[in-house]
Every structure is written in C-alpha cells, then in structure tokens.
Amino acid sequence: MRRGVAWVLAAAVIGLGMVGTATPASAHNVLIDSSPENGAEIDTAPDRIDLVFDQIVQPGFNTVTVTGPDQNRWEETSEATVDGETVSTTVHPLGPAGEYTVGFRVLSADGHTVRGSTTFTLTEAGDGDVPPQPADDEASADGSADEASTEEGMPVWPWIAGAAVLLAVGVTVGIRFGGGDTSKG
C-alpha cells in the first residue's frame, strides 16, 4: 500500500506543479516604438506614420488607421507597408488641431492578429481638407469589428484539464498497481 500512496503523491505533486507553472503564450508582437511617439505633442503634421514592433510582422492583412479629433480618417490607405518589424502608412495633410488616434491591426510573427493604438496631439491646425472617407462597412484597424481574434494567446484551461487528466491517471495507476498485501501492517 505504501507504494500506491507514493504514486498518488507523486502524481499530485506533478499535476499541481504543471497547473502552477501554466502561463498564456506570449509570442505575439508588441509595439515598442512609433513615429510620432505615443502621446507626443507636435506642431507639424507628419506625412507618414511608422509603428515598430519587437518581432517581424508578417505581410498581408495589416492595417493602420489615423482618426482625427473630428472623427474623420486621415490615412491615405489603410493597407499598411511592412518592412521587417516596421509597419507604415502615409497620411493626407492633417487638418484640425487636437488628438489623433493611430489604430493598428497587424499579423504577428506567430500568426495571430495583434491590435492596439497610439495617440499624438497636433498642437497647430494643418491646412489639410477632410479626405474622402472609407465606407462604413470597413473594419477599423483597432479591431472593433473583429472580436473573434484575441491578443491574449493560449488560454490556461487546456493546461488545467491536462493536469487533471494526468492526476487521474496517476491515481488510477497508483491504486491499481501499488496495492500489495495490506494485511501486514
């Protein structure tokens, strides 16, 4: 019987160790720099937005939008240019002074979609006129229309389920094969 108890205890320790160390996958790209910098106050409007990530961005399906304080979109095209870790888009000459939001959706190195945004404030109004606006059915780059994608990686529940299965197998093996003669105390 002592051998059975040892198996059960060993399986329990291993199972709890697996559950305790389970963490979500964290291989998604992370925005590490932007031009203009996040939160910057600038007096001259940029003609291009650059977003720099910590890993190479896969080409295709990458979008960048620039929304002004007037809620108009100012990017020339939402199809972004990818050069290694840098994703860029050109913008129309900006108009009103105020906060601009740069929304992005990129295809991460691990194949998952990563979304986010940065902001900058134009302190002096530009001379740009409101450009033609995209159709209402186009998804915004910050991902509000694509709730199926996630930025969080693999959930923890498969690790917990796996640990529970291993624990059950360990207990079963311990009871089944660890028995022995229990009358000799």
Side-chain angles (χ1 to χ4, degrees):
M1 183 66 173
R2 288 186 179 129
R3 184 180 285 173
V5 171
W7 275 102
V8 170
L9 287 175
V13 168
I14 290 170
L16 290 174
M18 289 178 67
V19 170
T21 60
T23 58
S26 59
H28 300 318
N29 288 24
V30 174
L31 182 69
I32 59 172
D33 195 15
S34 63
S35 176
E37 290 184 9
N38 188 26
E41 292 187 8
I42 57 176
D43 56 1
T44 303
D47 58 355
R48 175 184 166 118
I49 304 292
D50 293 315
L51 304 171
V52 181
F53 294 86
D54 66 335
Q55 300 176 47
I56 292 175
V57 175
Q58 293 188 28
F61 308 112
N62 300 302
T63 58
V64 176
T65 60
V66 181
T67 306
D70 57 356
Q71 300 307 308
N72 285 311
R73 300 258 299 264
W74 294 85
E75 73 277 0
E76 286 189 1
T77 175
S78 63
E79 294 178 30
T81 304
V82 176
D83 184 14
E85 297 88 7
T86 303
V87 177
S88 304
T89 194
T90 54
V91 294
H92 292 282
L94 299 182
E99 185 175 82
Y100 286 77
T101 300
V102 179
F104 62 85
R105 180 171 46 207
V106 299
L107 190 55
S108 183
D110 67 356
H112 287 92
T113 302
V114 175
R115 293 174 287 206
S117 64
T118 67
T119 62
F120 66 90
T121 301
L122 185 61
T123 59
E124 295 181 24
D127 58 0
D129 293 325
V130 175
Q133 296 298 294
D136 287 339
D137 61 344
E138 288 185 21
S140 63
D142 67 2
S144 59
D146 185 11
E147 296 300 323
S149 295
T150 179
E151 295 180 38
E152 297 166 10
M154 184 175 176
V156 174
W157 71 264
W159 292 101
I160 295 172
V165 168
L166 285 176
L167 183 60
V169 168
V171 169
T172 302
V173 168
I175 291 171
R176 189 148 172 89
F177 296 109
D181 191 0
T182 58
S183 63
K184 297 179 185 177

